[in-house]
Amino acid sequence: MPRFSDLMGKQKVLPIIQTDSEEQGVQIAKAMVAGGVRVVEVVLRTPASLAALSAIKQQVPELIVGAGTILDAETLDKALAAGADFIITPAITPKLLVALESCPVPVIPGVSNTADIALAYEAGYREMKLFPAVLCGGLAFLKAVSSVFQDVKFCPTGGVKADNLQDFLALDNVAAVGGTWLADKNWVSNGSWEQITQACLAANQAA
């Protein structure tokens, strides 16, 4: 099975799509593609999220689309049925790790402290999401754990923005960063799709 980093390739910034409708999600996705994006995460935080994920897969087939905010086996099954190419969780529990064992697509488990990292490491994971990255220690935390978990790569998300993404990406144990700033809520509400495109272009250039 390919790893998350294999799916990302040279892309270092993972844009996060949060949407209230299928149409809105597709418009965001198309704007991101125009900005050079090939991999996105759709967070399952609204009633329309799963339908939006499916619509993006159908209408923007060049995109690799992952599902985020996976908290339990039921949500995992729904995300896979919707066509998710990879799975990202905001946190981990022993029960969730069991559900993820048979997942047919790459998984990035969410961690926020050394105990979480050790639990995910024990389950065989070497690529993890640090969330909420800035609130749980950010750059200092990632530097501190680098000597202990030497073969773990992180995708920090939560508080990562245009003005600090280069600091995160400069760390050897950071493979990519994730963020919502690429699809600002005001841009989405106003249908300012070109601003999303420009933000993605700027992020790719900075990375």
Side-chain angles (χ1 to χ4, degrees), residues 1-206:
M1 179 190 299
R3 299 176 301 167
F4 170 69
S5 55
D6 295 328
L7 297 180
M8 287 289 286
K10 294 181 179 180
Q11 185 177 319
K12 297 298 182 183
V13 180
L14 177 67
I16 293 173
I17 296 176
Q18 182 170 325
T19 181
D20 294 319
S21 71
E22 292 179 47
E23 182 182 358
Q24 191 181 72
V26 170
Q27 291 297 330
I28 296 170
K30 287 181 176 179
M32 289 178 170
V33 169
V37 171
R38 292 294 173 266
V39 186
V40 300
E41 172 190 354
V42 176
V43 288
L44 306 186
R45 298 177 185 172
T46 69
S49 297
L50 283 167
L53 194 160
S54 291
I56 292 169
K57 288 284 295 177
Q58 292 170 7
Q59 298 182 46
V60 197
E62 64 267 40
L63 265 185
I64 296 171
V65 187
T69 323
I70 303 299
L71 294 169
D72 50 40
E74 181 182 0
T75 311
L76 172 63
D77 290 342
K78 289 179 179 178
L80 293 172
D85 294 309
F86 59 93
I87 296 295
I88 296 185
T89 78
I92 52 170
T93 66
K95 187 179 289 188
L96 180 56
L97 284 172
V98 170
L100 293 168
E101 280 181 4
S102 57
C103 186
V105 297
V107 173
I108 301 296
V111 298
S112 63
N113 54 52
T114 52
D116 288 347
I117 298 172
L119 188 61
Y121 193 95
E122 190 176 70
Y125 293 100
R126 297 297 181 269
E127 296 181 334
M128 307 176 194
K129 167 182 174 176
L130 181 66
F131 178 80
V134 170
L135 290 178
C136 63
L139 296 167
F141 178 82
L142 287 163
K143 290 176 183 176
V145 300
S146 64
S147 61
V148 180
F149 300 98
Q150 296 182 13
D151 54 346
V152 175
K153 298 289 185 180
F154 295 93
C155 179
T157 306
V160 181
K161 300 178 180 179
D163 60 0
N164 64 7
L165 74 90
Q166 289 179 314
D167 296 328
F168 279 99
L169 289 173
L171 299 180
D172 289 339
N173 60 344
V174 171
V177 298
T180 58
W181 86 91
L182 297 161
D184 184 275
K185 288 182 180 180
N186 291 327
W187 301 343
V188 174
S189 298
N190 298 328
S192 301
W193 313 124
E194 179 60 24
Q195 288 187 271
I196 294 175
T197 296
Q198 292 302 318
C200 290
L201 287 168
N204 284 331
Q205 187 173 10

